Amino acid sequence: MPVTVAAGGSPVSAPSVPSTPSVPSESPLDAERAHLAASRAALRAMREDAEALDISDVAATWVSAEVLRRDVETRIKALADLAGTPLFFGRLDYHHALDAEGETGTRFYIGRRHVHDASGDPMVIDWRAPVSRPFYRASRQDPQGIALRRRFGYDGGELTAYEDEHLSDPDADDSGAGELLRREIERPRVGPMRDIVATIQPEQDEIVRGPVAVTVCVQGAPGTGKTAVGLHRVAFLLYAHRERLARTGTLVIGPNRSFLRYIEQVLPALGELEVKQATVDELVADGVEIRGTDPAETARLKGDARMAELLRRAVRSGVRLPEEGVVVPRGTRLGGASRSLRAWGSVPAHELAEIVRELLERDIRYGAAREALPQRIAHAVLVQMERAGEAPDDRVQAAVARSAPVKAAVKAALPPVDPHKLVLRLLSDPGFLAEQAEGLLTAEEQRLLLWERPVRSVRSAPWSAADAVLIDEARDLVERTPSLGHVVLDEAQDLSPMQYRAVGRRCSTGSATVLGDLAQGTTPWATASWAEALTHLGKPEAAVVELTRGFRVPRQVISYASRLLPAIAPGLAEATSVREAAGSLRLRHVPDAAGLDAAVLDACREALDREGSVGLIAADARVPELAEALAAAGLDHLSPGMETGERTRLTLVPASLAKGLEYDHVVLDEPAAVVAGEPDARTGLRRLYVALTRAVSGLTVLHSAPLPAPLAGGTTAGTTAGTTAG
């Protein structure tokens, strides 16, 4: 039995379980449109109710009033009806009425947020609610009590079609099912990244709805939706554990600002407005002005896990076990002179040294040890006083702990440590570095770490991004870094061990969603294995889930790009794709290198003749020349992360910023130049792999130089190969 109904007269098919029409002659599609209109009206009423709230006399204090006001403002923003965004995208008809999980009834419309009518009855169910789970997981083999699953097609905000699956009817012919799903996946990608809430697949949904306390690592091939899965997991966890995560906080970490601008609208579209976003560099750059860069070898060394031990030694390098005891006098002022009448008590050197040793062996933070030491000394003094028959109270202990002799003893044994000054000394004092690095770093490695010129102060130091991570580690050794409830770490394969440690500190008592693809590691210190990375993150018990079924990149394109896998990530399985797109891959050789720019411009014009966004990806060194060529040809273009529109749909993308982005059509300029722009061949081929897998509908590769060896030889099914003259 056919399943899909479209607007415009003759249906593609007719459903056997139609919506109950409000008017006898009303078509099922009209009934669904009426429900959409009623739901939008209900949402407007919910927002108007929130706007009308009078909180002036509710709160007892100014602080509570301010908190309540912000909560109401957030509620109003969350109830916005986003133009062009469908309010619901699916419907579930259960066999039997539900009366559990806070919901009752047999029919539920699934959408991005909950909407109820004036009586409080639900008109749209949040996609994260338990009752919505079968929309993503039910199948013919496991219908989960569902009689009908209906998907809706939209043009902007207008409902135009629907598609039914009769999961519990063995005689139903759902051969046409999936057309709307495919159409939604292939919808042109103009502007920032969209949510995938209407198209989440069962294997993705398992990750999204995982327990809040569990850290998961998603190894995802290009186009498998790993970034979207991570963002939707945050949205789900905030729904299921809102009070807990509101206290502890959530954070999304991306590789660069262009990437974060690209994804920043996903969570607001799902109703989540308070999730913070940052890059690793921003995360650790507290009080550090980055003005220097490191050679690849030096950066790799600074990111090595051994640097954590080097810093631990350096932090404790000033510790001196006391050789003299401490005497705490009771002082009074007589005749203008301060005289010691008698001592509160004294702590001998051996006892003082034992206290210091005990604190250090507990491996607590250095700053915590410095805070605990005066209290421990004061406690020892009070014990002596009690033995002498006195009855000191907490005020006496506090006075002893604050006394000058105790302060002097603490400073001598555990001198204060400034993380910035400590790292500066390591990078500028050969003797100090050699002392701390003994048995840990070779002489050559120590030479790599040292700055070429002396540095006078923290402010004038040529700090690099890797130095900021070292300072962050040192800061944590002194004072514990606060932990968030959940962190999403995207493009994780590019992090160094020290960067993993920096992220791990931010979720030491919480959980994380780690997203990445080992084949796309393009830093000199790129992750070798997820087991190693998760150990550095402090989450060695985390499960690694592999996504290999792609939805974004056409099969012809991913198959072509996968020729690189044996050279860049031999242990990874080749990705597959559910999408066929004949002619989606075009290879064009330009015999004359002087004509390459003209050929690229022609390819961009061809791509702009089609619907959707266009990305021109090129080696970083080629970008200025191509920008001039585009301007001379009158082709407006944007930078990565900027929102495209009807007038400007072309983005010029340096290969170094392409990771995580996607475009309907990609024009790739000179693959050999992309490879040559990296410090080594493997990193260059990985950068090329990233560039090849950014296309959703079509990829055109133009080259004058020979293609890299793994790509050379033959074409892929659906490939158009040809020669373009200059």
Side-chain angles (χ1 to χ4, degrees):
M1 185 176 294
V3 296
T4 305
V5 174
S10 59
V12 176
S13 59
S16 62
V17 187
S19 303
T20 303
S22 56
V23 181
S25 61
E26 189 177 39
S27 71
L29 192 60
D30 287 339
E32 301 291 23
R33 286 170 171 164
H35 186 79
L36 175 62
S39 299
R40 289 197 182 281
L43 180 62
R44 285 195 299 273
M46 290 170 63
R47 180 165 181 159
E48 289 168 0
D49 288 345
E51 291 172 335
L53 286 173
D54 183 4
I55 60 172
S56 56
D57 297 327
V58 176
T61 67
W62 177 87
V63 174
S64 56
E66 188 65 17
V67 171
L68 183 59
R69 181 187 64 78
R70 285 201 302 267
D71 287 346
V72 171
E73 287 179 353
T74 301
R75 168 75 172 162
I76 293 170
K77 290 178 183 177
L79 290 172
D81 190 357
L82 303 177
T85 302
L87 193 55
F88 58 78
F89 46 80
R91 194 185 94 187
L92 291 176
D93 289 1
Y94 280 82
H95 272 298
H96 306 289
L98 296 186
D99 191 9
E101 301 173 338
E103 305 294 350
T104 59
T106 58
R107 177 171 295 177
F108 301 94
Y109 287 83
I110 313 301
R112 287 168 172 78
R113 59 170 60 83
H114 178 89
V115 179
H116 60 255
D117 62 17
S119 302
D121 295 325
M123 302 189 71
V124 180
I125 300 294
D126 195 300
W127 67 276
R128 298 166 287 188
V131 74
S132 303
R133 188 183 295 117
F135 183 78
Y136 302 105
R137 302 219 191 158
S139 64
R140 283 292 185 85
Q141 293 72 33
D142 181 21
Q144 301 184 19
I146 302 299
L148 172 73
R149 174 167 55 200
R150 174 170 288 179
R151 300 182 190 276
F152 295 104
Y154 285 84
D155 182 4
E158 182 185 356
L159 197 161
T160 57
Y162 64 90
E163 178 179 88
D164 289 343
E165 294 174 85
H166 305 88
L167 300 180
S168 302
D169 183 357
D171 299 323
D173 176 11
D174 291 347
S175 58
E179 177 62 25
L180 289 182
L181 186 64
R182 182 191 63 77
R183 196 182 306 169
E184 173 63 22
I185 291 172
E186 296 178 358
R187 187 155 54 94
R189 278 154 169 73
V190 175
M193 181 181 178
R194 301 191 306 264
D195 63 68
I196 61 165
V197 66
T199 62
I200 295 173
Q201 299 300 294
E203 65 270 28
Q204 296 172 326
D205 192 62
E206 284 191 36
I207 300 169
V208 167
R209 296 177 192 265
V212 66
V214 173
T215 291
V216 62
C217 174
V218 182
Q219 159 61 43
T224 54
K226 57 184 176 294
T227 296
V229 165
L231 295 174
H232 286 68
R233 188 180 186 211
V234 171
F236 173 79
L237 293 178
L238 285 168
Y239 174 88
H241 308 279
R242 188 168 301 280
E243 193 170 314
R244 171 177 173 176
L245 292 179
R247 290 195 310 271
T248 55
T250 53
L251 176 68
V252 174
I253 302 174
N256 52 60
R257 267 289 139 195
S258 294
F259 177 84
L260 292 177
R261 283 194 296 270
Y262 177 63
I263 68 170
E264 66 184 356
Q265 295 304 316
V266 173
L267 288 167
L270 298 173
E272 300 301 339
L273 307 173
E274 302 300 321
V275 180
K276 296 180 180 179
Q277 297 181 345
T279 65
V280 173
D281 290 347
E282 292 167 347
L283 206 61
V284 302
D286 183 20
V288 182
E289 184 180 349
I290 305 301
R291 57 164 63 95
T293 56
D294 291 314
E297 268 189 295
T298 303
R300 185 188 292 110
L301 179 58
K302 288 180 177 179
D304 192 296
R306 291 175 295 166
M307 297 300 294
E309 173 60 20
L310 179 71
L311 289 164
R312 192 190 72 81
R313 294 179 184 181
V315 165
R316 296 186 171 207
S317 63
V319 174
R320 299 289 181 268
L321 292 180
E323 296 179 353
E324 296 181 0
V326 59
V327 178
V328 184
R330 310 189 203 205
T332 185
R333 187 171 294 276
L334 296 174
S338 178
R339 299 181 183 176
S340 177
L341 300 180
R342 62 192 179 98
W344 289 104
S346 63
V347 182
H350 73 273
E351 186 176 343
L352 203 56
E354 183 58 32
I355 294 173
V356 173
R357 262 194 301 266
E358 183 187 340
L359 287 172
L360 294 177
E361 286 171 1
R362 286 170 56 191
D363 205 29
I364 61 177
R365 297 300 194 278
Y366 187 81
R370 293 192 80 248
E371 290 177 1
L373 182 56
Q375 296 299 326
R376 292 289 299 274
I377 296 173
H379 176 73
V381 170
L382 262 65
V383 169
Q384 292 181 15
M385 295 176 67
E386 289 170 350
R387 287 173 181 167
E390 297 191 55
D393 56 18
D394 291 344
R395 289 175 298 175
V396 174
Q397 178 163 346
V400 171
R402 293 195 304 267
S403 66
V406 171
K407 286 183 178 180
V410 171
K411 186 175 182 180
L414 301 176
V417 172
D418 181 297
H420 296 77
K421 293 179 180 178
L422 182 79
V423 176
L424 183 144
R425 188 180 177 193
L426 277 173
L427 300 180
S428 58
D429 184 338
F432 182 64
L433 176 60
E435 183 181 342
Q436 309 312 316
E438 184 178 357
L440 192 64
L441 302 179
T442 67
E444 175 60 22
E445 287 175 326
Q446 293 175 42
R447 187 191 64 77
L448 284 173
L449 288 179
L450 290 166
W451 285 324
E452 293 181 359
R453 298 182 182 85
V455 176
R456 293 183 178 180
S457 67
V458 168
R459 182 167 294 184
S460 63
W463 299 118
S464 67
D467 295 334
V469 179
L470 299 181
I471 294 171
D472 189 72
E473 178 86 22
R475 187 185 297 118
D476 183 73
L477 288 166
V478 175
E479 184 177 349
R480 182 183 295 277
T481 304
S483 174
L484 297 163
H486 192 79
V487 169
V488 173
L489 174 60
D490 206 351
E491 302 296 349
Q493 73 281 344
D494 279 336
L495 268 62
S496 70
M498 292 299 289
Q499 288 175 317
Y500 277 116
R501 291 175 61 87
V503 174
R505 289 191 280 276
R506 271 74 183 180
C507 56
S508 58
T509 60
S511 58
T513 302
V514 181
L515 311 165
D517 180 10
L518 296 179
Q520 296 186 56
T522 52
T523 55
W525 49 84
T527 301
S529 74
W530 289 122
E532 178 186 334
L534 292 168
T535 298
H536 294 312
L537 189 72
K539 309 288 184 182
E541 76 291 345
V544 179
V545 180
E546 191 169 2
L547 296 178
T548 59
R549 189 164 70 111
F551 306 95
R552 174 175 58 79
V553 184
R555 189 174 303 167
Q556 292 79 2
V557 174
I558 195 65
S559 176
Y560 182 69
S562 293
R563 294 181 182 183
L564 298 173
L565 286 178
I568 62 176
L572 290 185
E574 182 175 334
T576 61
S577 178
V578 300
R579 297 179 54 224
E580 283 278 1
S584 56
L585 175 63
R586 293 180 171 86
L587 307 178
R588 295 181 181 175
H589 177 242
V590 182
D592 183 2
L596 186 59
D597 287 3
V600 167
L601 295 176
D602 288 342
C604 289
R605 292 188 185 96
E606 289 178 22
L608 289 168
D609 286 339
R610 305 184 185 96
E611 188 179 10
S613 57
V614 179
L616 169 55
I617 303 178
D620 290 30
R622 283 271 292 156
V623 167
E625 180 181 339
L626 290 173
E628 288 185 13
L630 290 170
L635 290 175
D636 292 338
H637 65 277
L638 304 169
S639 299
M642 296 179 66
E643 186 171 351
T644 58
E646 291 183 6
R647 296 188 60 185
T648 307
R649 294 184 290 118
L650 174 64
T651 304
L652 176 57
V653 188
S656 61
L657 295 182
K659 194 171 296 179
L661 306 180
E662 59 183 24
Y663 301 93
D664 289 289
H665 308 280
V666 167
V667 177
L668 176 58
D669 170 79
E670 198 62 279
V674 173
V675 176
E678 299 299 328
D680 59 81
R682 191 188 73 161
T683 303
L685 290 174
R686 285 182 168 185
R687 186 75 73 188
L688 178 58
Y689 181 74
V690 172
L692 287 169
T693 54
R694 301 304 94 201
V696 175
S697 298
L699 169 66
T700 301
V701 179
L702 296 107
H703 67 102
S704 177
L707 289 171
L711 292 181
T715 57
T716 304
T719 299
T720 300
T723 299
T724 302

